[in-house]
Amino acid sequence: MIKILIFASLREQLGCSQLSLDEGEYPSSLFALKEKLAGKGDQWRAAMTSNRTLVALNQTMIRQDATLHPGDEVAFFPPVTGG
């Protein structure tokens, strides 16, 4: 199983704060996972295809070619701004 967390404005946009996918339901790469999630509808497609959406794997920022493993935690969030 992998755990998918969604934060901040993405959570409101998608109406979802987390998902779990069992082994066999999730692809082996982040790129393929984003494609799978994009298939959930227009809002998901917009979030998953945006080059502004940030992604962390097990609390470490990652690139699109990261490999997923059972027990991983994937987090999606918008760009962070501070003040």
Side-chain angles (χ1 to χ4, degrees):
M1 177 180 84
I2 64 168
K3 185 176 185 178
I4 301 166
L5 304 174
I6 303 163
F7 292 102
S9 60
L10 282 179
R11 178 181 55 231
E12 282 101 45
Q13 175 186 343
L14 301 174
C16 179
S17 62
Q18 73 177 31
L19 301 165
S20 294
L21 297 177
D22 291 325
E23 196 166 348
E25 291 184 319
Y26 65 87
S28 61
S29 71
L30 173 62
F31 180 79
L33 174 64
K34 288 176 73 173
E35 285 186 330
K36 179 180 178 87
L37 294 175
K40 292 176 63 72
D42 291 340
Q43 295 292 348
W44 285 86
R45 187 174 305 105
M48 294 299 119
T49 59
S50 172
N51 59 2
R52 296 183 45 125
T53 299
L54 301 174
V55 185
L57 177 62
N58 301 322
Q59 301 180 4
T60 301
M61 298 301 294
I62 58 171
R63 299 183 330 190
Q64 298 289 335
D65 60 352
T67 301
L68 301 177
H69 303 284
D72 281 345
E73 177 186 89
V74 179
F76 293 99
F77 50 97
V80 178
T81 61

